[in-house]
């Protein structure tokens, strides 16, 4: 216990992880996050306007160059993240997503062929929430080592359930993005999930057993295997881009949200969106919340996106 000093983790640079992907990977990803048939330019590689869905880089934390088959999630998480200075050994079976932010600096190509992509990650801090657990915050960039160009910036936090209580730093206060009170949403969208949704999404290389094995979910206090938080997060990103960006990946700049509650496969994700101001780069701020329609429970909170609004289509 005396060796634990969570403040030592801040600034720790993790091992650089080489990245690669194929056009097929992009097609699988789009199919697993609710992209629809009328958005064929993200589902069909021969479409004249084919583009990857812009949040694909969130998967880079789970995969690396050379992965040809299913990987051991627990072993991979331990080896790629490595031991953080001053932090006790973590049980990755009891790790869930806390928050995610992604910013597009440059659109990724449909395939990594001919480039030397790597993921560079730094621990921002480890925060102690007492008996509830530890929050591990990480900043990552996806870049091409050949050119030095950065394609995506990401900030994410993982929550180590029940693994806190070291009187460590509590962490900084985060910005609050609440929907305006009493204002009707500017737009809303929903997607009915299948019972197999998590089993499909995990093929993106997010093989956490929590999302496949009901017994693990029950040990953590859930009804069974729960949906990946990032599957919910990506569905909401699809909803926002569809509602305001004309489903065009080129109109997508940034997206962030806090994971508020778990989602069970088979339920309906409903995203409520409020249009805000336009910034000096021409991106419109969208505040959003995502709920399970059947229960009304909020599953993504503090949601904020920046998109360029698509021109309204003529009805003539």
């Amino acid at each position: 216990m005396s060796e634990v000093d969570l403040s030592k983790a801040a600034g720790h640079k993790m091992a650089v992880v080489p990245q690669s992907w194929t056009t097929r990977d992009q097609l699988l990803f789009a199919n697993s996050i609710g992209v629809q048939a009328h958005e064929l330019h993200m589902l069909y590689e021969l479409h004249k306007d084919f583009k990857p869905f812009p949040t694909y880089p969130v998967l880079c934390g789970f995969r690396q160059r050379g992965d040809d088959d299913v990987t051991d999630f627990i072993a991979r998480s331990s080896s790629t993240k490595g031991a953080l200075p001053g932090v006790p050994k973590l049980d990755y079976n009891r790790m869930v997503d806390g928050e995610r932010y992604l910013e597009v600096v440059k659109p990724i190509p449909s395939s990594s062929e001919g480039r030397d992509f790597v993921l560079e990650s730094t621990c921002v801090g480890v925060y102690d929430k007492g008996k509830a657990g530890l929050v591990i915050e990480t900043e990552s960039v996806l870049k091409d080592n050949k050119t030095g160009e950065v394609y995506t910036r990401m900030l994410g936090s993982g929550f180590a359930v029940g693994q806190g209580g070291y009187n460590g730093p509590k962490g900084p206060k985060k910005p609050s993005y609440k929907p305006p009170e009493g204002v009707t949403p500017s737009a809303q969208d929903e997607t009915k999930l299948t019972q197999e949704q998590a089993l499909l999404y995990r093929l993106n290389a997010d093989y956490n057993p929590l999302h496949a094995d009901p017994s693990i979910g029950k040990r953590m206090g859930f009804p069974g295997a729960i949906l990946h938080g990032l599957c919910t997060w990506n569905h909401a990103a699809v909803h926002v881009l569809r509602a305001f960006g004309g489903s065009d990946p080129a109109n997508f700049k940034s997206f962030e949200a806090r994971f508020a509650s778990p989602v069970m496969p088979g339920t309906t994700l409903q995203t409520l969106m409020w249009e805000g101001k336009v910034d000096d780069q021409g991106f419109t701020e969208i505040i959003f919340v995502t709920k399970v329609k059947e229960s009304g429970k909020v599953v993504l909170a503090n949601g904020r996106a920046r998109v360029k609004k698509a021109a309204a289509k003529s009805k003539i």
Side-chain angles (χ1 to χ4, degrees):
M1 188 73 71
S2 61
E3 297 178 0
V4 174
D5 182 355
L6 304 181
S7 64
K8 291 181 178 180
H12 176 72
K13 294 189 180 300
M14 302 173 188
V16 175
V17 182
Q19 296 290 320
S20 65
W21 60 85
T22 65
T23 301
R24 183 180 184 278
D25 292 327
Q26 300 292 347
L27 298 176
L28 172 61
F29 179 61
N31 269 285
S32 70
I33 61 172
V35 176
Q36 298 177 352
H38 67 88
E39 297 160 320
L40 197 60
H41 57 286
M42 294 182 282
L43 294 168
Y44 179 47
E45 72 282 0
L46 297 182
H47 192 285
K48 65 181 180 65
D49 296 321
F50 179 71
K51 296 185 185 79
F53 194 80
T55 59
Y56 179 84
V58 296
L59 301 178
C60 291
F62 305 97
R63 58 186 302 148
Q64 57 187 252
R65 191 183 302 157
D67 287 347
D68 295 321
D69 205 346
V70 175
T71 58
D72 183 326
F73 175 85
I74 303 303
R76 171 63 62 82
S77 296
S78 300
S79 65
T80 57
K81 294 177 175 63
L84 291 171
V87 178
K89 185 176 180 180
L90 300 175
D91 178 1
Y92 284 92
N93 271 313
R94 297 176 61 79
M95 183 77 73
V96 295
D97 270 309
E99 297 183 61
R100 288 291 175 122
Y101 168 85
L102 180 146
E103 179 182 354
V104 174
V105 179
K106 182 176 181 176
I108 62 170
S110 58
S111 166
S112 62
E113 185 176 0
R115 295 175 173 87
D116 182 19
F117 281 109
V118 296
L119 186 71
E120 296 180 346
S121 301
T122 303
C123 179
V124 176
V126 177
Y127 310 125
D128 197 339
K129 304 302 179 180
K131 292 182 179 179
L134 294 177
V135 173
I136 299 93
E137 190 171 44
T138 306
E139 184 177 40
S140 301
V141 293
L142 177 66
K143 63 184 286 189
D144 183 350
N145 250 355
K146 286 184 177 180
T147 63
E149 290 179 296
V150 172
Y151 281 71
T152 315
R153 298 186 188 279
M154 294 169 279
L155 186 66
S157 65
F159 190 65
V161 179
Q163 299 177 65
Y166 297 97
N167 294 316
K170 303 303 178 186
K173 187 175 181 180
K174 296 287 186 178
S176 178
Y177 303 116
K178 293 183 179 179
E181 287 189 29
V183 178
T184 301
S186 308
Q188 62 180 27
D189 199 356
E190 63 184 54
T191 301
K192 173 69 174 176
L193 305 174
T194 68
Q195 291 290 345
E196 299 77 26
Q197 196 74 47
L199 297 172
L200 172 62
Y201 183 84
R202 72 190 301 269
L203 300 181
N204 291 303
D206 193 344
Y207 297 114
N208 189 338
L210 173 62
H211 308 298
D213 188 338
S215 67
I216 294 176
K218 289 177 181 177
R219 287 202 301 271
M220 293 184 66
F222 304 123
I226 62 173
L227 191 69
H228 305 70
L230 281 173
C231 185
T232 300
W233 188 91
N234 281 302
H235 271 83
V238 171
H239 291 166
V240 170
L241 187 61
R242 181 182 294 147
F244 294 97
S247 298
D248 184 352
N251 289 329
F252 189 101
K253 183 59 178 177
S254 68
F255 189 83
E256 61 187 296
R258 177 183 303 137
F259 301 96
S261 298
V263 173
M264 299 305 295
T267 55
T268 303
L269 293 176
Q270 181 184 56
T271 301
L272 309 177
M273 299 161 267
W274 288 263
E275 183 177 342
K277 296 180 179 180
V278 180
D279 64 22
D280 54 9
Q281 293 180 296
F283 294 101
T284 299
E285 180 183 64
I286 308 298
I287 303 299
F288 69 91
V289 296
T290 300
K291 302 179 178 182
V292 170
K293 184 178 181 180
E294 290 81 359
S295 66
K297 194 167 190 177
V298 172
V299 294
L300 291 179
N302 221 41
R304 177 179 182 262
R306 292 165 62 219
V307 298
K308 280 190 178 176
K309 287 190 67 178
K313 294 181 179 179
S314 172
K315 297 182 180 180
I316 299 177

